[in-house]
């Protein structure tokens, strides 16, 4: 027997072991994971590597013609960090910041060399700190000083205003994991519209319990966000159901791959654009423009609006979450019906039809 004859069976055996250990399907799944990994890195680093203010709303109160001139100067700053406009008086400016309608307000005192800057800590520490640093530099160039007044400060248990972000992340992760587990255990695609309805209905009590438990943790247990228990629980229930419905919809469209697509929407894309680590106004264009229209960003805005801004502006984030949830339900129901009619699904779990027992008259 030659050396070549000896090596050939060894090579064949090795390749057989490789094929046995790594199936072709597994190879493509791992390749997909690799793409998700680099998408994760690109999205998070892209969003956070160079934060900066972009057109942050600011009310300006100044005597006579000084107001319009100051507004023009602020709006002409390189990079457009501020979007300023003149308001009538300091009381109006303060109320606008307290209610969340504007992010900041500059009150110029003509009788002093010290001006007042109103900010709202509830909008996020990263944003208020950046505004304060920018306006301090602006004032120093005019040989003036700045007194900063936080008119909507974070609660004692909400360090840097990040509780809303992590609460929303937890809810959304729970929603899509619950839907994904249900899909894995009983098939990623519901076989009929009736079964799709059952799956959606099963998520309702789960979402309600999730919302309540999240509110319990941040309010009576940790004291991070207090005084708005019912509203927080309601937002949580809506978010969890939204995440579950969207996950189920993507599973109907893409099968098991839909779980990966859900990961892209909620984690890779949604989390860095949600306004957590850095406020939305500090993110690059893609994340800044899309963040408020995703469930994660809408959820963070909703919690902050409820807790710190007396629910002002709450209609927009709630509508955003509701639209995603309704779209998910419709896609799941219509998609399941169409797939069933076309005969693409033959069993509850989307797999092969069950084997029937032979009847007595069968040969």
């Amino acid at each position: 027997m030659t050396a070549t004859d000896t090596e050939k069976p060894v090579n064949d055996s090795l390749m057989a072991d490789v094929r046995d250990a790594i199936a072709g399907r597994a190879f493509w799944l791992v390749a997909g994971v690799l793409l998700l990994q680099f998408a994760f890195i690109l999205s998070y680093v892209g969003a956070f590597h160079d934060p900066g203010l972009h057109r942050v709303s600011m009310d300006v109160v100044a005597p006579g013609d000084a107001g319009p001139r100051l507004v023009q100067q602020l709006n002409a700053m390189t990079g457009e960090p501020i979007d300023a406009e003149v308001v009538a008086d300091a009381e109006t400016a303060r109320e606008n910041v307290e209610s969340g309608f504007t992010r900041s307000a500059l009150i110029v005192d003509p009788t002093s060399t010290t001006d007042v800057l109103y900010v709202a800590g509830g909008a996020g520490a990263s944003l208020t700190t950046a505004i304060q640093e920018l306006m301090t530099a602006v004032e120093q160039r005019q040989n003036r000083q700045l007194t900063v007044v936080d008119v909507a400060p974070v609660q004692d248990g909400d360090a840097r205003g990040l509780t809303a972000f992590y609460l929303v992340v937890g809810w959304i992760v729970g929603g899509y994991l619950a839907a994904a587990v249900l899909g894995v255990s009983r098939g990623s695609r519901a076989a009929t519209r009736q079964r799709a309805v059952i799956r959606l209905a099963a998520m309702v009590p789960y979402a309600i319990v999730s919302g309540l438990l999240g509110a319990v943790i941040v309010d009576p247990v940790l004291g991070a966000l207090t005084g708005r228990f019912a509203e927080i629980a309601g937002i949580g229930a809506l978010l969890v159901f939204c995440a579950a419905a969207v996950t189920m919809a993507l599973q109907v469209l893409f099968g098991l791959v839909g779980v990966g697509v859900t990961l892209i929407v909620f984690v890779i894309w949604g989390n860095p654009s949600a306004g957590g680590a850095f406020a939305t106004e500090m993110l690059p264009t893609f994340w800044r423009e899309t963040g408020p229209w995703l469930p994660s960003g809408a959820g963070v805005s909703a919690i902050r609006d409820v807790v710190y801004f007396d629910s002002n502006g709450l209609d927009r984030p709630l509508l955003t979450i509701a639209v995603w949830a309704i779209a998910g339900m419709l896609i799941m129901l219509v998609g399941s019906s169409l797939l069933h009619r076309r005969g693409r699904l033959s069993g509850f779990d989307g797999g092969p039809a069950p084997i029937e027992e032979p009847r007595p008259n069968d040969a």
Side-chain angles (χ1 to χ4, degrees):
M1 181 180 295
T2 65
T4 302
D5 293 334
T6 304
E7 292 173 358
K8 185 174 181 180
V10 173
N11 292 336
D12 290 345
S13 176
L14 177 61
M15 292 306 298
D17 288 341
V18 171
R19 287 192 295 269
D20 182 62
I22 305 176
R25 183 184 182 189
F27 171 82
W28 291 112
L29 288 175
V30 171
V33 171
L34 183 65
L35 291 176
L36 289 176
Q37 171 185 315
F38 285 105
F40 186 98
I41 295 172
L42 175 61
S43 184
Y44 279 73
V45 176
F48 299 151
H49 77 288
D50 187 24
L53 297 175
H54 180 79
R55 297 187 63 81
V56 176
S57 56
M58 177 179 288
D59 289 344
V60 173
V61 178
D65 296 334
R69 288 199 306 270
L70 181 55
V71 164
Q72 184 177 12
Q73 293 171 3
L74 291 173
N75 291 340
M77 295 175 66
T78 303
E80 298 183 316
I82 298 296
D83 181 16
E85 65 176 28
V86 176
V87 295
D89 51 61
E91 182 179 355
T92 300
R94 182 182 181 118
E95 290 176 354
N96 286 342
V97 178
E98 285 179 336
S99 62
F101 293 134
T102 57
R103 293 304 192 195
S104 58
L106 179 65
I107 314 300
V108 177
D109 185 356
T111 65
S112 171
T113 59
T114 300
D115 299 328
V116 176
L117 177 69
Y118 291 139
V119 295
S126 61
L127 181 62
T128 55
T129 300
I131 295 172
Q132 178 179 342
E133 291 176 351
L134 174 67
M135 295 310 300
T136 297
V138 170
E139 291 283 291
Q140 287 177 348
R141 288 197 293 268
Q142 304 296 325
N143 295 318
R144 298 182 67 83
Q145 296 179 334
L146 194 66
T147 297
V148 179
V149 178
D150 191 344
V151 298
V154 295
Q155 297 184 5
D156 292 340
D158 185 16
R160 299 188 62 80
L162 291 174
T163 300
F165 171 67
Y166 290 114
L167 179 61
V168 167
V169 168
W171 275 329
I172 287 182
V173 168
Y176 81 69
L177 282 181
V181 167
L182 182 60
V184 170
S185 63
R186 297 299 294 166
S188 58
R189 290 165 168 165
T192 65
R193 183 171 60 184
Q194 180 178 356
R195 288 166 177 169
V197 171
I198 293 173
R199 287 193 179 186
L200 287 169
M203 288 296 101
V204 173
Y206 176 85
I208 293 173
V209 172
S210 296
L212 287 171
L213 289 179
V216 167
I217 290 173
V218 300
D219 191 348
V221 174
L222 298 179
L225 299 175
T226 62
R228 296 286 184 168
F229 182 90
E231 295 93 328
I232 292 174
I235 294 170
L238 180 59
L239 268 174
V240 172
F241 183 80
C242 170
V246 171
T247 302
M248 291 178 177
L250 292 173
Q251 287 178 315
V252 166
L253 294 176
F254 305 110
L256 184 60
V257 177
V259 177
V261 179
T262 305
L263 186 69
I264 293 174
V265 173
F266 289 133
V267 177
I268 294 176
W269 181 14
N271 283 355
S273 61
F278 291 102
T280 304
E281 295 93 333
M282 300 180 67
L283 300 176
T285 302
F286 173 77
W287 293 269
R288 182 177 65 249
E289 296 297 333
T290 60
W293 304 106
L294 297 176
S296 301
V300 172
S301 295
I303 295 296
R304 287 175 173 169
D305 287 342
V306 162
V307 174
Y308 293 116
F309 302 111
D310 199 26
S311 297
N312 293 308
L314 184 60
D315 52 345
R316 174 175 167 175
L318 286 184
L319 180 60
T320 299
I321 299 169
V323 167
W324 276 86
I326 293 171
M329 289 189 293
L330 290 177
I331 291 173
M332 185 181 182
L333 295 174
V334 174
S336 297
S337 297
L338 292 177
L339 289 172
H340 180 67
R341 289 178 185 176
R342 293 173 184 174
R344 293 183 181 178
L345 300 177
S346 54
F348 179 82
D349 61 356
I355 299 176
E356 297 182 357
E357 294 292 332
R359 291 172 295 181
N361 294 333
D362 289 343

